[in-house]
Amino acid sequence: VQLVESGGGSVQPGGSLRLSCVGSGFTFSLYSLAWFRQAPGAERESIATIDTESETAYRDSVKDRFTISRDNAKNTLYLQMDSLKVDDTAKYFCAAAPSGWSMADHGTWGQGTQVTVSS
């Protein structure tokens, strides 16, 4: 199982970025997927999840600004980030776990992509 993120970068407050995560080595459509982030000195936090039925859930701090989606035909997970804030600065990771299994206990992680929001 392998996950590779891309799409990070530097952006001004109020700007947008779209992260992608391509999965390989597993049946993508049968896995629940998630985006996490970790800021310097902080713990890794879950920000958005999407299950095999494309039901989504978001951390309150990103709700209405971020959108998680998946394209099973392309084995790709996305995170559209709008109205970015300085506090969104972090390294962003995608994760995958078999449907119904704990992401924390059974998740596979990508290497992360850096997002920096500054003026």
Side-chain angles (χ1 to χ4, degrees):
V1 177
Q2 185 177 19
L3 299 168
V4 179
E5 303 97 334
S6 62
S10 296
V11 64
Q12 292 186 337
S16 297
L17 283 173
R18 188 194 197 200
L19 306 184
S20 299
C21 170
V22 178
S24 61
F26 63 104
T27 304
F28 194 82
S29 61
L30 298 182
Y31 277 59
S32 295
L33 306 168
W35 286 99
F36 288 73
R37 69 184 179 189
Q38 186 168 21
E43 292 190 357
R44 188 175 297 188
E45 61 183 18
S46 173
I47 56 172
T49 62
I50 185 167
D51 68 12
T52 56
E53 302 300 318
S54 291
E55 289 290 323
T56 60
Y58 297 90
R59 189 177 194 84
D60 284 348
S61 60
V62 306
K63 201 174 294 184
D64 299 326
R65 298 189 298 121
F66 290 10
T67 303
I68 188 172
S69 61
R70 63 191 296 165
D71 186 336
N72 291 334
K74 296 182 179 180
N75 282 7
T76 303
L77 172 71
Y78 301 100
L79 185 68
Q80 177 67 41
M81 304 186 295
D82 298 318
S83 302
L84 282 161
K85 304 176 180 180
V86 172
D87 287 349
D88 294 319
T89 295
K91 194 166 189 179
Y92 285 69
F93 301 84
C94 63
S99 180
W101 292 32
S102 164
M103 195 70 69
D105 295 334
H106 302 284
T108 294
W109 300 81
Q111 83 289 349
T113 185
Q114 179 67 37
V115 172
T116 302
V117 185
S118 69
S119 54

